[in-house]
Amino acid sequence: MKKISLSAFVIAAVVSGSALAQITIDGSLSDWKIDPKTWVSSLPGVSYTEEDQTGSGAYYLRPGYGGQAYDAEAMYAIIQNGTLFIALATGHNPLTVDNFGNNVYAAGDFAIDFGNNGTYELGINVVNNFLGGVLGGVYANPDWAYGLWDVAGNEVAPGSAAADMAHPTSLRGGTLLGSAESSYTTTGVSGYGSKEDDLHYFYEISLDLQLLYDAGWDGNEFNIHWTQNCANDSILLTVPGNPGVPEPGSLALFGVGLVGLIGMRRRPAK
Ligand SMILES: [Ca+2]
Ligand SMILES: [Ca+2]
Ligand SMILES: [Ca+2]
């Protein structure tokens, strides 16, 4: 009796679907399968970018200075089961409070650009610093603050209209669509990158893809951006479109495959 073949195939398909690594939002990057030496992630289907800068003191980060304390280092994202997961590594402590007079700047929020054209249509309020803002809130029609640098990299005053709008910093308002789940670490961790003693802080976020669609997303690739309120160093990650929507061609092929399997089973043995 070889009756088990089709059901075994179905069970295997279900198991491989549910065996997708589930990301736990706890601020730990252990789910992301990151090589601590290189920041490279081996998580299947992940998108990531790395720009860990090293040096001594408040070294140049481009466009600003600030050294490790303002270094945006790596960003990761993956779409699984209708959910967008994001992780960030930075030398910037999330507990840093704005003190412009002393050149101290808090963390910005996560900004998503549909169409990868430099306009950010969705904001995730991970560090809440606007009156009435919802911590973890996901905002359409975001009102962004910008950093201390113009497009040419020249310093401008805080709040200047000349600031580079390609680097949104913190949310100041918007249309609240719903909530993301988010977590960040507040104790620096060493052992990553080429300068092992440097301290790093991690953010993790998950949000339902429906919130992106609600903000006008078309399902195609998009950019995720993060920086601090000074925008001394920023990081930008491109994420492919929603893989949860199979293309008609691949769906048809899957169906042919199933029919083929059933057909094989019914073929009498010689
Ligand atoms: Ca660094
Ligand atoms: Ca950097
Ligand atoms: Ca856009």
Side-chain angles (χ1 to χ4, degrees):
M1 293 275 279
K2 286 187 176 177
K3 249 184 169 174
I4 57 160
S5 60
L6 181 61
S7 55
F9 169 79
V10 171
I11 287 166
V14 169
V15 168
S16 72
S18 63
L20 273 173
Q22 188 64 42
I23 307 279
T24 306
I25 305 301
D26 56 4
S28 158
L29 296 194
S30 60
D31 306 323
W32 295 84
K33 301 190 188 310
I34 292 165
D35 176 352
K37 289 279 179 216
T38 62
W39 297 104
V40 167
S41 170
S42 57
L43 184 65
V46 75
S47 302
Y48 67 90
T49 186
E50 172 274 316
E51 60 150 51
D52 179 8
Q53 291 156 285
T54 57
S56 300
Y59 54 85
Y60 186 52
L61 295 165
R62 191 178 52 243
Y65 288 80
Q68 180 62 16
Y70 286 84
D71 193 2
E73 300 181 305
M75 191 186 282
Y76 306 84
I78 190 167
I79 292 173
Q80 287 181 347
N81 303 324
T83 303
L84 170 63
F85 296 90
I86 306 168
L88 173 78
T90 173
H92 186 265
N93 188 332
L95 296 182
T96 308
V97 175
D98 276 328
N99 185 342
F100 291 6
N102 285 333
N103 254 336
V104 178
Y105 297 87
D109 294 308
F110 288 74
I112 293 184
D113 170 6
F114 304 140
N116 302 354
N117 59 358
T119 58
Y120 290 83
E121 290 87 359
L122 190 91
I124 310 168
N125 192 34
V126 172
V127 175
N128 184 32
N129 49 20
F130 74 92
L131 196 64
V134 173
L135 189 62
V138 178
Y139 289 84
N141 310 309
D143 176 18
W144 292 109
Y146 298 97
L148 301 179
W149 310 93
D150 69 13
V151 175
N154 298 310
E155 190 166 356
V156 299
S160 168
D164 186 357
M165 296 174 80
H167 297 296
T169 58
S170 282
L171 280 163
R172 298 187 297 194
T175 307
L176 184 64
L177 295 178
S179 276
E181 187 180 353
S182 65
S183 179
Y184 52 74
T185 58
T186 56
T187 303
V189 176
S190 61
Y192 283 82
S194 60
K195 203 167 176 185
E196 288 192 3
D197 291 343
D198 277 355
L199 297 179
H200 312 276
Y201 302 85
F202 305 128
Y203 292 75
E204 269 187 315
I205 299 168
S206 71
L207 64 160
D208 198 304
L209 284 185
Q210 187 58 48
L211 294 169
L212 278 71
Y213 287 114
D214 290 349
W217 184 42
D218 61 3
N220 291 319
E221 70 171 23
F222 58 91
N223 283 335
I224 308 173
H225 177 275
W226 180 87
T227 187
Q228 322 81 22
N229 284 342
C230 51
N232 275 19
D233 191 29
S234 60
I235 194 161
L236 187 72
L237 174 65
T238 300
V239 183
N242 183 4
V245 184
E247 289 175 22
S250 62
L251 199 63
L253 279 176
F254 180 70
V256 167
L258 268 182
V259 170
L261 272 172
I262 294 163
M264 275 169 63
R265 277 197 58 238
R266 291 196 176 156
R267 195 171 299 153
K270 289 185 177 174

